[in-house]
Amino acid sequence: MSGLPASATGGPAPAKGVRPAGLWNIANILTMVRLLLVPGFVLLMMHNGGYDEAWRSFAWAAFAIAMITDLFDGHLARTYNLVTDFGKIADPIADKAIMGAALICLSALDDLPWWVTGVILFREIGITLMRFWVIRLGVIPASRGGKMKTLAQGVGVGMYILPLVGPLATLRFWVMAVAVVLTVSTGLEYIGQAFRLRRAARRRESAG
C-alpha cells in the first residue's frame, strides 16, 4: 500500500508511439478485485458477531489476497506500461479501503484501540492527498521506511484478524506497535519531502 499512483512511482515511461493501455488490463483487473474484496471482507469479518473463528479465518484469507494483489498490480502497471487514469485513482482508493475496513472492523469489535485506527487512517489518507497536491512539482517516492511500514501494517492487521492466543497474540501487539511507529515517522518524513519540493518550486519561480 504505497498510497501513490502507479504512474508516479518511477517506473519506465511508455515509449513514443505506443498505444495507451486499455481499461481492461491485468493491473486494473487486480485493482478491481481488491475493491470487490472490501465488502466481502467486511461480511466475513463481522459474521456471527465477529467472533467466529472459522469466519475470521476466511476474512484473513480475503485480506491476504487483497494485500497480495496490491503488490502485483502496481508492479505490472509500471513494468508493462499498463498505467491508466482509472488505475491512478482506483489503486490508492483500493489500498486505503481494504486497510481501513480491516482497522475499523477490528476497533468496532474492541480488538484494536480506536486511536490506533485513527492514527493509521489519518496518516494514510493525509499523505495520499498530499502526494496528489505536490505531484505536479515532483514525485515523493516510497522510502525504505515506507515499505517497511506497509509490511508491518499488513502483517500486524492480519495477525489481529486471526483468532490468535498465547505468544502469537503477544507478538501481534508488538508488530502493530512497530507499524504505528513507522506510520508516524514515515508520515513526518514525507511531509518534510513535500515542503522541500514546494520550496524548490518557489525558488525556481523566483529565479525565472
Side-chain angles (χ1 to χ4, degrees):
M1 189 170 64
S2 66
L4 186 65
S7 59
T9 50
K16 290 183 179 179
V18 175
R19 290 177 57 189
L23 174 64
W24 294 102
N25 62 64
I26 185 62
N28 283 348
I29 290 172
L30 288 175
T31 297
M32 286 185 271
V33 167
R34 195 156 73 256
L35 283 168
L36 292 172
L37 280 171
V38 175
F41 165 81
V42 173
L43 290 174
L44 292 170
M45 185 74 180
M46 305 304 290
H47 191 77
N48 278 354
Y51 296 104
D52 187 294
E53 293 187 0
W55 288 100
R56 289 282 286 258
S57 297
F58 293 143
W60 176 86
F63 180 80
I65 291 170
M67 292 295 99
I68 291 170
T69 62
D70 181 31
L71 293 175
F72 284 104
D73 60 359
H75 173 74
L76 290 170
R78 295 188 299 271
T79 302
Y80 298 103
N81 297 323
L82 300 177
V83 176
T84 63
D85 289 338
F86 171 83
K88 295 175 188 177
I89 297 170
D91 184 64
I93 291 175
D95 295 344
K96 305 302 174 285
I98 188 64
M99 182 60 70
L103 290 166
I104 291 170
C105 286
L106 289 169
S107 292
L109 294 170
D110 292 325
D111 289 341
L112 192 68
W114 275 107
W115 71 265
V116 173
T117 293
V119 165
I120 293 177
L121 291 184
F122 180 80
R123 185 271 192 201
E124 296 298 336
I125 295 172
I127 294 300
T128 298
L129 293 175
M130 186 193 69
R131 276 176 152 144
F132 280 114
W133 177 53
V134 301
I135 196 168
R136 65 183 181 84
L137 304 175
V139 172
I140 301 177
S143 66
R144 180 175 298 180
K147 294 175 182 177
M148 291 175 60
K149 177 272 302 179
T150 300
L151 177 62
Q153 282 184 4
V155 173
V157 170
M159 292 180 74
Y160 269 90
I161 293 170
L162 286 172
L164 301 178
V165 295
L168 288 176
T170 302
L171 176 62
R172 71 184 180 183
F173 169 85
W174 292 108
V175 173
M176 186 58 70
V178 170
V180 170
V181 170
L182 289 172
T183 295
V184 174
S185 62
T186 56
L188 294 174
E189 174 189 351
Y190 291 148
I191 290 172
Q193 291 185 43
F195 277 102
R196 286 193 290 274
L197 282 173
R198 297 287 295 181
R199 285 197 297 268
R202 284 197 294 267
R203 285 196 296 268
R204 289 194 297 270
E205 290 173 359
S206 299

